Amino acid sequence: MKKKRLLSALSIVLALGLAACGNSKGAGDAETAKLTMMLTVGEQGVRDAIQEIVNNYQTEHPDTQIEIQFPGSNYESIMKMKMASNELPDIFDTHGWAKVRYGAYTMDLQNEPWAANMTDSIKPILKDESGKVYALPLNEAKDGLFYNAAVLEKYGVTPPTTLDEMLAAAEKIKTESSGEVTPMFFSGLDPWMIGQFFDMMANPLLITPEQNEAQALLNGTFDWNKWTYLPEKFKEIYEKGYTNKDLLTAKYADEARLFAEDKLAFAFHTPASYADIKKINPDVKMGIAPLPAIKAGDPPTFAGGERLALAAWKDTKYPEQTKAFLNYLAQPDNVKKVSDATLSPAAFKDVSGGGAFSEYYDKYKDVKVLPYFDRVYLPNGMWDVMITNAQELLAGNITPQKYSENMKTEVERLKSQHK
């Protein structure tokens, strides 16, 4: 029995010794940093560009592994759960909410080498008064009028600088094409397109004029009767046949075909559908221009701000490796690669990007970019309110005035909930 106990004890000692040998590292060995990165990116070309950058980094830095996650439409719900448990990805896409939604979870990046080189338009969106930089911007949103250049040329129309000019151009295109060409496109089944019109055109109505409503919107004294202009104009655009007749049942995917067949002039968004248009018609010529002004004497502007911006989780186990990878992403060649893939301008002063649309971003480089209206002046939850009321408006269930009354009611309700 004593012999058996002695052998058993010896076996345990040997096993522990072998395990210790197997787990030991040399003095120069480093622990592999396993980072997670979660992004909202949906377009395959953009995903491929980012994956290529990650692969190159891992080749150069074998002690860092980066797992990329693309949860698609589930991104926001997943991130809300992760914030609730304080278990966020090491790197994550703030998709327009770096300060407001994710600010308390982000590392301060103000001392990183790229921070001082952000464009003047993106800097105030990602940097606060204390100097904290919330995220690394890989591109910059500049939403305006996406248009078919061949259609505009055929009907002798130039990108409009005022909304009145745009309505006149719509009438010209509709009349001279005998209804074969649609002046503007919106989708009821992908209603973000309808929301875009109200969110983007609210800036030229209420914010860009010298006598503007910015402070009144912020302090709760805004007269919502002044909003009525937008639903009135949207209803006019619909009733005069300046948009697709099947607006309420159309899909966003239908837009690409119309643009490709030279049967559509304008859309209110970025060149997001360009790749799909080119698949149908490789020779198509598309352009982008600023949003038209509403008030006399106002210049056109873009709506925008942060688009693909990556924050570092403040509680990551690997802060140095996380910052090192973000600094690698911020190298000009990598920023340009992502900027070109997204067809959006780069967010750094020394990088020219935007792919096929770089000439337009260069042309309009001095045009002011205003933050998206809802992100500054409306409480969280109003995006859906704008869309729902627009659909009810077109269905004939509410008037433009009622739309404004509903906006006022919902803003007050949501603000009271957030107190």
Side-chain angles (χ1 to χ4, degrees):
M1 290 293 291
K2 287 183 179 180
K3 186 175 181 181
K4 287 184 179 179
R5 284 198 293 270
L6 182 62
L7 287 172
S8 178
L10 185 59
S11 299
I12 293 171
V13 170
L14 287 171
L16 290 172
L18 288 171
C21 291
N23 291 331
S24 64
K25 295 181 184 292
D29 292 341
E31 179 187 0
T32 298
K34 296 182 178 180
L35 307 181
T36 56
M37 181 166 70
M38 195 159 78
L39 308 178
T40 59
V41 173
E43 299 85 0
Q44 190 59 48
V46 183
R47 292 184 179 187
D48 292 343
I50 294 171
Q51 186 67 64
E52 182 181 349
I53 294 170
V54 168
N55 292 346
N56 292 340
Y57 185 80
Q58 291 180 144
T59 299
E60 297 175 23
H61 302 81
D63 290 331
T64 299
Q65 296 177 7
I66 303 168
E67 178 192 350
I68 311 179
Q69 300 167 0
F70 298 109
S73 60
N74 295 320
Y75 185 91
E76 289 196 54
S77 58
I78 292 172
M79 285 300 292
K80 285 177 182 177
M81 289 189 291
K82 288 183 176 294
M83 285 189 288
S85 62
N86 195 38
E87 288 291 337
L88 279 72
D90 300 287
I91 300 167
F92 57 93
D93 178 4
T94 57
H95 61 104
W97 301 98
K99 289 182 182 179
V100 177
R101 184 178 298 173
Y102 299 114
Y105 301 90
T106 64
M107 190 187 301
D108 185 358
L109 302 173
Q110 66 175 302
N111 295 321
E112 300 313 303
W114 48 265
N117 200 33
M118 292 188 292
T119 61
D120 293 337
S121 50
I122 200 69
K123 193 176 293 182
I125 293 171
L126 293 176
K127 185 176 182 178
D128 66 18
E129 293 177 357
S130 73
K132 177 177 178 178
V133 172
Y134 289 76
L136 162 69
L138 290 179
N139 60 5
E140 185 173 355
K142 281 192 177 180
D143 291 7
L145 293 178
F146 186 41
Y147 65 87
N148 182 310
V151 169
L152 267 59
E153 182 179 354
K154 180 176 180 179
Y155 295 100
V157 171
T158 57
T161 59
T162 68
L163 188 56
D164 284 343
E165 286 180 10
M166 186 163 191
L167 297 181
E171 178 63 35
K172 189 176 192 322
I173 291 168
K174 174 194 166 187
T175 301
E176 294 185 9
S177 71
S178 300
E180 289 297 309
V181 178
T182 300
M184 308 175 211
F185 183 90
F186 297 96
S187 165
L189 295 184
D190 295 288
W192 62 266
M193 300 190 74
I194 297 172
Q196 285 275 92
F197 174 85
F198 288 90
D199 199 39
M200 291 165 69
M201 294 306 295
N203 277 331
L205 176 66
L206 303 172
I207 307 303
T208 61
E210 186 174 349
Q211 300 295 320
N212 61 66
E213 303 295 329
Q215 194 56 44
L217 283 157
L218 292 172
N219 64 25
T221 62
F222 175 61
D223 177 4
W224 279 97
N225 290 312
K226 296 179 180 179
W227 177 267
T228 306
Y229 176 91
L230 286 181
E232 284 178 344
K233 284 298 175 184
F234 192 65
K235 187 177 181 183
E236 177 185 342
I237 288 169
Y238 179 66
E239 291 182 342
K240 287 188 173 180
Y242 296 160
T243 185
N244 44 307
K245 295 176 183 177
D246 62 347
L247 186 155
L248 292 172
T249 58
K251 303 185 297 294
Y252 169 55
D254 299 333
E255 179 197 274
R257 176 183 55 79
L258 291 172
F259 267 139
E261 295 174 353
D262 294 338
K263 292 181 179 179
L264 174 62
F266 298 104
F268 284 81
H269 58 71
T270 65
S273 58
Y274 183 64
D276 293 330
I277 299 168
K278 290 280 285 185
K279 286 178 184 176
I280 302 170
N281 178 7
D283 299 322
V284 72
K285 177 65 174 174
M286 303 296 296
I288 190 163
L291 295 166
I294 290 176
K295 297 294 177 71
D298 274 2
T301 55
F302 284 106
E306 62 171 292
R307 173 145 292 149
L308 181 54
L310 305 185
W313 181 33
K314 66 179 180 62
D315 295 326
T316 176
K317 285 175 57 180
Y318 306 104
E320 296 309 315
Q321 292 92 332
T322 297
K323 288 189 289 186
F325 174 66
L326 289 180
N327 290 340
Y328 180 82
L329 269 175
Q331 293 178 6
D333 287 350
N334 291 329
V335 172
K336 179 173 173 52
K337 185 188 294 286
V338 175
S339 172
D340 287 346
T342 57
L343 301 173
S344 297
F348 290 97
K349 295 175 182 177
D350 61 349
V351 181
S352 177
F357 294 87
S358 58
E359 64 177 287
Y360 296 100
Y361 297 130
D362 289 342
K363 177 181 179 180
Y364 297 116
K365 63 182 179 182
D366 296 324
V367 172
K368 191 171 184 179
V369 182
L370 277 70
Y372 295 113
F373 180 82
D374 70 311
R375 293 181 185 174
V376 178
Y377 301 105
L378 298 179
N380 188 24
M382 285 303 295
W383 176 254
D384 290 338
V385 174
M386 284 194 297
I387 291 172
T388 301
N389 277 274
Q391 291 172 318
E392 291 293 303
L393 176 75
L394 296 187
N397 297 329
I398 62 172
T399 64
Q401 181 61 38
K402 181 60 177 175
Y403 188 139
S404 297
E405 292 172 8
N406 291 344
M407 289 288 288
K408 180 178 187 294
T409 300
E410 287 301 297
V411 164
E412 291 173 351
R413 181 182 68 82
L414 290 168
K415 281 186 174 180
S416 67
Q417 287 183 356
H418 297 159
K419 286 182 179 178

